[in-house]
Amino acid sequence: ALHLPQTESDRFIRRVLTRFGLQQALFDRVQFLFRLARDKIAFRWGRKAEIYAAACIYAAAMESKKDLSLMQLAVRPSHLFL
């Protein structure tokens, strides 16, 4: 497998998915959705991008019928943002 350098968004997405036990199952789909949004809207990494990433995580979880609520994502545990 080709190993590309991880971006801030990749690290953030992995941390959130790991927090909910979904990393392996959803990372590729979340990454695809996030990059699609970023390319269309052209935002830089920051708080706004974190919100888009969380929305992509939620969308991918719903597509895969995973148990993840908006309230779980809305809580912002400090250890995810270190």
Side-chain angles (χ1 to χ4, degrees):
L2 178 65
H3 293 284
L4 300 174
Q6 280 197 349
T7 63
E8 287 295 318
S9 61
D10 291 341
R11 285 190 287 274
F12 176 83
I13 291 166
R14 285 188 190 281
R15 281 194 306 266
V16 175
L17 290 175
T18 297
R19 165 98 165 80
F20 296 107
L22 302 170
Q23 181 174 343
Q24 295 304 316
L26 297 179
F27 180 76
D28 290 340
R29 182 64 177 159
V30 174
Q31 188 180 49
F32 171 78
L33 293 171
F34 181 80
R35 289 183 176 162
L36 195 66
R38 186 193 60 209
D39 292 347
K40 186 158 185 90
I41 301 168
F43 52 81
R44 285 186 267 173
W45 185 250
R47 180 67 184 132
K48 183 177 180 180
E50 289 175 357
I51 293 168
Y52 278 106
C56 293
I57 290 166
Y58 182 74
M62 292 302 97
E63 286 178 351
S64 298
K65 308 275 192 269
K66 301 292 182 188
D67 186 27
L68 181 66
S69 72
L70 284 174
M71 287 305 293
Q72 288 173 300
L73 280 174
V75 175
R76 202 173 162 203
S78 60
H79 69 278
L80 293 177
F81 299 88
L82 298 175

